[in-house]
Amino acid sequence: MALTGGCRCGGVRYRIEVAAMPRTYACHCTICQRASGSSFAHQMPVREAALHVEGEPVEVTIVGLSGARSIQRYCPTCYTRLYNTNEARPGLAIVRAGTIDGSEHLAPAMHIFTSTKQAWIALPEGVEAYPDAAPIEAWRAFLD
Ligand SMILES: [Zn+2]
Ligand SMILES: [Zn+2]
């Protein structure tokens, strides 16, 4: 199956080839709040090789706290942030779930950095959640 998505103006579109519907997670860290201009970032990790982009996103490189470089891709016209890659996690693309067509049907399967989540957000009962970064075993299970 293939997922499709794109930016607000339609200048950049993408297609993601997947065997099954990938899961999404919400990051409630303060950097994601600020970078998204919202309350959390809703993300869908996919294999970078499965992501086919039409259009010419601009790349903005940001060095994270760990020193690893994160390359963010934006539409050059409307500046929607579409996805990023991180040199600490080669081969993985983190797609902004809200840019996926049909994103209204996506619900985060995991919440991270809940220690800094905004007070008004009530997480669903029993959902997988971590106060800070997810432990490596949780990531492995999530990405499987
Ligand atoms: Zn655009
Ligand atoms: Zn974050």
Side-chain angles (χ1 to χ4, degrees):
M1 63 185 278
L3 304 175
T4 56
C7 67
R8 180 177 178 177
C9 79
V12 179
R13 294 284 301 165
Y14 60 77
R15 193 168 49 85
I16 310 166
E17 305 285 349
V18 289
M21 194 62 184
R23 289 188 287 176
T24 62
Y25 69 90
C27 182
H28 298 266
C29 84
T30 54
I31 291 171
C32 283
Q33 290 179 26
R34 191 169 288 266
S36 67
S38 188
S39 305
F40 56 87
H42 189 190
Q43 324 259 46
M44 180 186 280
V46 300
R47 286 188 311 111
E48 191 177 7
L51 175 62
H52 307 283
V53 179
E54 288 170 40
E56 300 275 332
V58 287
E59 298 188 349
V60 176
T61 299
I62 295 167
V63 179
L65 296 175
S66 66
R69 295 186 319 148
S70 169
I71 302 160
Q72 309 282 331
R73 271 73 163 198
Y74 295 81
C75 169
T77 304
C78 71
Y79 286 92
T80 299
R81 188 171 61 146
L82 295 154
Y83 70 101
N84 74 283
T85 54
N86 189 305
E87 61 184 12
R89 293 182 292 277
L92 204 62
I94 311 295
V95 177
R96 298 296 169 278
T99 68
I100 294 167
D101 299 336
S103 65
E104 66 271 25
H105 302 299
L106 301 172
M110 179 169 76
H111 293 260
I112 62 174
F113 286 94
T114 59
S115 61
T116 52
K117 85 173 173 58
Q118 294 189 355
W120 62 270
I121 297 174
L123 300 184
E125 191 100 2
V127 74
E128 188 176 356
Y130 300 96
D132 299 300
I136 191 74
E137 317 82 65
W139 276 120
R140 287 215 184 91
F142 189 83
L143 294 170
D144 265 355

